[in-house]
Amino acid sequence: MIKTIDWKENRVVMIDQRKLPWEEIYVVCSEYPQVIEAIRTMVIRGAPAIGIAAAMGAALGAQTLAPDNPEEFRKGFQGICREIGAARPTAVNLTWALERMSTTMEGRLSGGMKGVQKALIREAARMLAEDVAINKRMGQAGQEVIRDGDTVLTHCNAGALATGGYGTALGVIRAAKAAGKKVRVFADETRPFLQGTRLTAWELVRDHIPVTLITDNMAGYFMKKGMIDRVIVGADRIAANGDAANKIGTYSVAVLARAHRIPFYVAAPCSTIDPRIKSGEAIPIEERDPREVTHWRDLRIAPEGISVLNPAFDVTPHGYITGIITETGVLQPPFTRSIREALRGAGMRERGEGRSKREAKNVAR
Amino acid sequence: MIKTIDWKENRVVMIDQRKLPWEEIYVVCSEYPQVIEAIRTMVIRGAPAIGIAAAMGAALGAQTLAPDNPEEFRKGFQGICREIGAARPTAVNLTWALERMSTTMEGRLSGGMKGVQKALIREAARMLAEDVAINKRMGQAGQEVIRDGDTVLTHCNAGALATGGYGTALGVIRAAKAAGKKVRVFADETRPFLQGTRLTAWELVRDHIPVTLITDNMAGYFMKKGMIDRVIVGADRIAANGDAANKIGTYSVAVLARAHRIPFYVAAPCSTIDPRIKSGEAIPIEERDPREVTHWRDLRIAPEGISVLNPAFDVTPHGYITGIITETGVLQPPFTRSIREALRGAGMRERGEGRSKREAKNVAR
């Protein structure tokens, strides 16, 4: 299995996703600013993976906090979390993970600094293990939407590399294959960062899932030819009404899917849902460096003197979404209600109330 | 003015569009197989430009035909035209230009070989001059659809580089600017060959027309934000019912434009209309080398083991098209009728019947 991120001997180790598929190089962070830099420069990307990186970064930062004074420790830790939280704006898992780390910190603060530091490491590791378990539940629930023989179009990378492992959208595809279904994938190359070409194709080839690579502008052509049966994508933040922010281009795919009557699914854990945001209009969209569009590595491919816009995400309004695949099941419209119910269920599970013994064991591992 | 292609001292000279915007290098063809290779490898591309290249290639080939025997000359010339005609399948201008050259050949065949050879060179040169004049008329007619202050999205390159000069879609934009309108352009980068990034952006920067470069998958995002007022694209072949083949991704842009109620125009000369083809379904779509998608120059960017599809064009059904801008005016739906009328008008003009003195002078120059 692909190891996207791990905690090893007081260091955070991540596969460098900028270097795939050419090289399998690992970035080792021994200080939390290195984790921030890794998130910012997309050594690691994908909402769930960013969440885990943030948690591990916070755990790393906590080790350097010297004062054996609860109030000062809290202040220091909050400062670190604020810094990490500012690394990228769109994926809500970043905030979600840091809030969970803060809760852990508060719960242990009275027991001495060494205890808090250890608890934070344990909590970050637990979030990684939980994420994999959640993705497997999501895959199990979501694979129902794939029929034997379907061709699924996906955009960007919502795979093992975007998560602690197994993946969201690709997890659903993996689960469909594991359930004995024949499934083929069309992968949009996903400009400008080429997550489809470099990451999704790489993952699927490793798993022997047939994958056809296309440029982003070909999706409509193949839909019109009747060659796409389902679209499944990930998400970086889902509003309370089901509007979903995901990699730039997802919205165009959703409009095209609607025009061709192709079911369009979003696969994401409940931690990607931001119930505080009522609709997608309020989701902040990151604008990234124009160089991603104007340059190929160090070579400028666009002439001097042009303007460039490089929004990294767009929002697909809930009306375009057939279902939201989460670890609690496939949410159906109206999403405002199904999301509310799912979050209530997920909250119960988090507190261990609705959790089966087997799940609890998975999480504890 | 950009010189896309020219006839100089019994040679065909073309700017190498694979090398732009890095280098302005010219490819010089002294034998017709070099012209075929230039068309095939996209040294020159764009339907009208391909037509001119084909005509010049045929004129070049005719110079090498030795026999002073009409029947053998005809056979030799037809063979050359067949070879050139097979260089690329989608743009009908290739066939159109070669048929026109054949007509010239037939008309002069009885007057001796030297005379035919000279007449073919003159005819090819005339087609270049005519194309520029046609584009200017098209621009004049088409600029009416652009309002002062509009932002126009274009896909691929339908500019001077795709034609003898001035351009089709970009000609319309140039004419709007010349008419005193403020116009801004959004250019799709147009994967995999990056005609938008490399060619459209380069042309517009040279002409001081404000241009913003975006990746193909961003078009929907900016339409939804209300930042696109019009879409204008070129075409490689238009069927009798108005269905238009153009660079891959055009169909997706048309569907997006419809979803956002943005007028969508196709700009192309009458020579791009193929009245023998009833609907777009019958237009042959070229499938190009997967390397265009899997590689960046010599570097493989996609992992081994994936499938790739690389259709170079798609067809936008006439129902998505607001108007077809030609040198005879802006054709309105129902296109079956307006196209028939336009072709009748263009045929008259070609025979000089409906041509004004000024136009006749332009063409003769």
Side-chain angles (χ1 to χ4, degrees), chain B residues 105-308:
Chain B
M105 182 268 293
E106 296 291 351
R108 298 297 191 110
L109 205 52
S110 57
M113 296 311 104
K114 283 285 162 229
V116 190
Q117 288 170 332
K118 277 189 189 159
L120 288 170
I121 294 173
R122 274 200 309 274
E123 184 67 6
R126 187 177 298 124
M127 282 161 77
L128 169 58
E130 273 181 24
D131 187 64
V132 178
I134 281 170
N135 288 337
K136 289 193 173 167
R137 283 212 300 278
M138 196 187 306
Q140 211 42 56
Q143 63 90 11
E144 304 282 344
V145 311
I146 299 177
R147 300 164 305 182
D148 189 27
D150 269 353
T151 297
V152 178
L153 174 72
T154 190
H155 187 72
C156 194
N157 172 268
L161 290 166
T163 62
Y166 202 66
T168 53
L170 297 193
V172 171
I173 289 163
R174 287 188 166 102
K177 192 196 169 201
K181 293 176 193 171
K182 249 184 91 171
V183 53
R184 300 183 56 86
V185 177
F186 268 55
D188 280 348
E189 66 172 6
T190 317
R191 284 282 295 151
F193 207 67
L194 296 171
Q195 289 94 335
T197 307
R198 299 189 302 102
L199 309 179
T200 295
W202 181 77
E203 279 196 28
L204 294 177
V205 165
R206 279 170 68 117
D207 275 11
H208 307 287
I209 294 172
V211 53
T212 299
L213 178 66
I214 60 171
T215 60
D216 299 305
N217 56 22
M218 292 175 191
Y221 175 81
F222 289 111
M223 287 183 183
K224 182 150 166 273
K225 280 180 93 82
M227 290 168 69
I228 310 289
D229 302 299
R230 297 282 184 272
V231 177
I232 309 181
V233 297
D236 291 81
R237 191 185 303 218
I238 299 172
N241 68 348
D243 293 353
N246 191 45
K247 180 51 54 194
I248 186 72
T250 302
Y251 168 63
S252 292
V253 173
V255 172
L256 288 165
R258 165 63 51 87
H260 297 88
R261 299 166 194 275
I262 297 168
F264 178 95
Y265 293 93
V266 172
C270 288
S271 56
T272 298
I273 299 171
D274 186 353
R276 287 170 291 201
I277 282 196
K278 282 203 178 124
S279 87
E281 319 240 314
I283 300 176
I285 299 296
E286 178 182 11
E287 180 78 26
R288 290 186 64 85
D289 191 337
R291 278 184 65 99
E292 290 183 356
V293 177
T294 54
H295 285 66
W296 171 262
R297 294 184 168 181
D298 289 331
L299 177 69
R300 189 173 176 99
I301 51 174
E304 301 281 348
I306 48 155
S307 304
V308 173

Side-chain angles (χ1 to χ4, degrees), chain A residues 253-277:
Chain A
V253 173
V255 172
L256 288 165
R258 164 62 51 88
H260 297 87
R261 297 166 196 274
I262 297 167
F264 178 95
Y265 294 93
V266 172
C270 289
S271 55
T272 298
I273 299 171
D274 186 353
R276 286 170 290 200
I277 283 197

Side-chain angles (χ1 to χ4, degrees), chain A residues 36-332:
Chain A
I36 294 174
E37 188 63 10
I39 295 172
R40 218 182 48 72
T41 59
M42 293 169 71
V43 166
I44 191 162
R45 26 65 51 200
I50 288 174
I52 298 161
M56 290 188 175
L60 208 54
Q63 311 307 306
T64 63
L65 292 173
D68 211 3
N69 166 320
E71 194 45 50
E72 281 185 40
F73 188 95
R74 173 189 287 125
K75 262 195 201 157
F77 190 71
Q78 283 170 343
I80 289 167
C81 287
R82 261 196 308 277
E83 274 185 74
I84 298 174
R88 292 191 73 190
T90 304
V92 73
N93 304 60
L94 196 62
T95 316
W96 171 87
L98 294 168
E99 282 174 5
R100 195 163 143 179
M101 293 297 278
S102 284
T103 305
T104 299
M105 182 268 294
E106 295 292 350
R108 297 296 190 114
L109 204 52
S110 58
M113 297 311 104
K114 284 284 163 228
V116 189
Q117 287 169 334
K118 277 188 189 160
L120 288 169
I121 295 173
R122 274 199 309 273
E123 184 68 6
R126 186 178 299 126
M127 282 160 77
L128 169 58
E130 272 181 25
D131 187 63
V132 178
I134 281 170
N135 288 337
K136 290 192 171 165
R137 282 210 301 275
M138 197 187 306
Q140 211 42 54
Q143 64 89 11
E144 304 281 344
V145 310
I146 300 178
R147 299 164 307 181
D148 190 27
D150 269 353
T151 297
V152 178
L153 173 73
T154 191
H155 187 71
C156 195
N157 172 268
L161 290 166
T163 62
Y166 202 67
T168 53
L170 297 194
V172 171
I173 289 163
R174 288 188 166 102
K177 192 197 169 200
K181 293 177 193 170
K182 250 183 88 170
V183 53
R184 299 183 56 87
V185 177
F186 268 56
D188 281 348
E189 66 174 4
T190 316
R191 284 280 295 148
F193 206 67
L194 297 171
Q195 289 94 335
T197 307
R198 300 190 300 102
L199 310 179
T200 295
W202 181 78
E203 278 196 28
L204 294 177
V205 166
R206 279 170 68 117
D207 275 10
H208 308 287
I209 295 172
V211 53
T212 300
L213 178 67
I214 61 171
T215 61
D216 299 304
N217 57 22
M218 293 176 190
Y221 175 81
F222 290 109
M223 286 184 184
K224 183 151 165 273
K225 280 179 95 81
M227 290 168 67
I228 309 289
D229 303 297
R230 297 282 184 273
V231 177
I232 310 180
V233 298
D236 291 81
R237 191 185 305 217
I238 299 173
N241 68 348
D243 293 354
N246 190 44
K247 181 51 53 192
I248 187 72
T250 303
Y251 169 63
S252 292
V253 173
V255 172
L256 288 165
R258 164 62 51 88
H260 297 87
R261 297 166 196 274
I262 297 167
F264 178 95
Y265 294 93
V266 172
C270 289
S271 55
T272 298
I273 299 171
D274 186 353
R276 286 170 290 200
I277 283 197
K278 282 205 177 119
S279 87
E281 320 239 313
I283 299 176
I285 299 295
E286 178 182 11
E287 181 78 26
R288 290 186 64 85
D289 191 339
R291 278 183 66 99
E292 290 183 354
V293 177
T294 55
H295 286 66
W296 171 262
R297 294 184 167 182
D298 288 332
L299 177 70
R300 189 174 175 99
I301 52 175
E304 302 280 348
I306 48 155
S307 303
V308 174
L309 289 170
N310 186 19
F313 303 95
D314 58 26
V315 173
T316 299
H318 58 87
Y320 287 97
I321 301 170
T322 310
I324 300 175
I325 301 167
T326 72
E327 68 270 32
T328 70
V330 183
L331 312 189
Q332 307 286 340

